[in-house]
């Protein structure tokens, strides 16, 4: 991994009226690293991810991102237009529900092609060819390039959303429970696909998951969140095999008892 961080989150905080959702969270993400945010529902992990993505405005803190030119920008301070331009080229987002990340009224090929066009691609034949290649890359039949997303199963829709998010080869991808809601066999295949694609592309990932098995398979490091705070962090296997905080111990023991 590079010695220069890709992302530095510093004292990020969010309150909803009197209720703190995220309390001064900070971390560093390195190029090629997968960092998982884990914790039970309501721990603040999805709010944290959405603040990094610019979907939720924080009450305090900064999100410093090293863009492709090497300059450092604070994602919190960017205008909406500036953030949108950056996201088109350098930051991808994978939703838990693939329908939130797809345009259901256009074809699979158009869903993959749209980010390419937003990034500047204009040659229709080249865009279509790239879209077909990405369908293959996410283990879908390229002959279904002109089919609507509504004709696919949930697992296939998620694969299509992943292709849409990764086709521009962003340097940072934010994933919110990407295997949530899928049955076990579909989830296992999708996890193998994600692990391969992340490794092949060398992208950095911030992953939200409540599933410690998903975190162990995909993530290099973990942040364990409880009530908006990070209560434990470290190398994934070390945290899961020898948890130090009582809350982390509870999470691990509940998985072992299941």
């Amino acid at each position: 991994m590079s010695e220069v961080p890709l992302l530095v989150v510093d004292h990020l905080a969010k309150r909803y009226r009197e209720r703190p959702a995220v309390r001064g969270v900070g971390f560093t993400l390195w190029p090629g690293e997968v960092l998982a945010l884990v914790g039970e529902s309501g721990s603040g992990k999805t709010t944290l991810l959405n603040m990094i993505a610019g979907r939720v405005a924080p009450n305090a803190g900064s999100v410093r991102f090293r863009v492709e030119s090497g300059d450092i920008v604070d994602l919190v301070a960017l205008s909406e237009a500036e953030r949108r331009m950056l996201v088109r080229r350098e930051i991808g987002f994978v939703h838990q529900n693939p329908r939130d990340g797809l345009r259901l009224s256009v074809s699979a090929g158009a869903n993959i092609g749209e980010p390419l066009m937003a990034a500047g691609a204009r040659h229709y034949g080249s865009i279509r060819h790239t879209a077909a290649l990405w369908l293959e890359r996410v283990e879908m039949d390229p002959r279904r390039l002109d089919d609507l997303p509504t004709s696919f199963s949930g697992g296939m829709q998620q694969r299509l959303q992943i292709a849409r998010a990764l086709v521009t080869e962003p340097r940072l991808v934010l994933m919110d429970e990407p295997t949530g809601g899928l049955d076990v066999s579909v989830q296992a295949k999708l996890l193998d696909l994600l692990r391969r694609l992340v490794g092949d592309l060398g992208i950095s990932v911030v992953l939200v998951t409540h599933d410690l098995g998903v975190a162990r398979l995909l993530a290099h490091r973990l942040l364990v969140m409880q009530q908006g705070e990070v209560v434990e962090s470290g190398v994934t296997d070390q945290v899961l095999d020898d948890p130090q905080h009582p809350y982390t111990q509870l999470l691990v023991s509940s998985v072992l008892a299941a």
Side-chain angles (χ1 to χ4, degrees), residues 102-120:
L102 295 171
R103 287 189 59 201
L104 301 180
S105 60
V106 302
S107 69
N111 267 283
I112 300 172
E114 279 182 350
L116 292 170
M117 294 180 66

Side-chain angles (χ1 to χ4, degrees), residues 129-140:
H129 177 67
T130 300
L133 289 178
W134 265 93
L135 281 184
E136 288 189 293
R137 199 163 187 178
V138 296
E139 299 171 357
M140 295 176 66

Side-chain angles (χ1 to χ4, degrees), residues 74-253:
D74 183 357
L75 301 182
V76 172
L78 293 181
S79 68
E80 179 62 26
E82 290 170 329
R83 188 185 66 81
R84 193 181 304 118
M85 182 63 69
L86 181 63
V87 166
R88 285 175 183 172
R89 295 182 176 274
E90 300 199 39
I91 302 175
F93 196 101
V94 176
H95 298 261
Q96 177 177 357
N97 186 339
R99 290 172 172 248
D100 293 333
L102 295 171
R103 287 189 59 201
L104 301 180
S105 60
V106 302
S107 69
N111 267 283
I112 300 172
E114 279 182 350
L116 292 170
M117 294 180 66
R122 290 294 179 266
H123 189 277
Y124 174 77
S126 177
I127 292 171
R128 187 173 173 84
H129 177 67
T130 300
L133 289 178
W134 265 93
L135 281 184
E136 288 189 293
R137 199 163 187 178
V138 296
E139 299 171 357
M140 295 176 66
D141 188 347
R143 292 174 297 182
R144 300 198 64 181
L145 195 66
D146 296 315
D147 292 356
L148 291 175
T150 50
S151 70
F152 295 114
S153 67
M156 289 296 107
Q157 287 179 354
Q158 192 63 296
R159 289 171 184 267
L160 180 59
Q161 187 197 183
I162 290 166
R164 179 182 171 97
L166 300 187
V167 65
T168 58
E169 299 191 9
R171 299 168 64 243
L172 171 65
V173 178
L174 309 173
M175 298 185 181
D176 186 10
E177 300 276 10
T179 60
L182 301 175
D183 67 50
V184 174
S185 61
V186 174
Q187 183 182 92
K189 292 177 181 177
L190 190 62
L191 283 171
D192 285 341
L193 173 68
L194 280 172
R195 183 168 59 174
R196 177 170 53 79
L197 287 174
V198 167
D200 288 349
L201 295 172
I203 57 178
S204 300
V205 177
V206 180
L207 165 73
V208 162
T209 183
H210 69 280
D211 189 328
L212 298 184
V214 170
R216 189 186 287 274
L217 187 66
L218 293 181
H220 299 102
R221 281 193 301 132
L222 291 184
L223 297 184
V224 181
M225 295 189 66
Q226 181 187 29
Q227 297 180 352
E229 296 180 313
V230 174
V231 297
E232 188 164 355
S233 64
V235 175
T236 300
D237 286 343
Q238 179 180 343
V239 171
L240 295 182
D241 292 341
D242 187 22
Q244 300 299 304
H245 192 276
Y247 178 69
T248 311
Q249 293 170 357
L250 182 63
L251 288 178
V252 172
S253 64

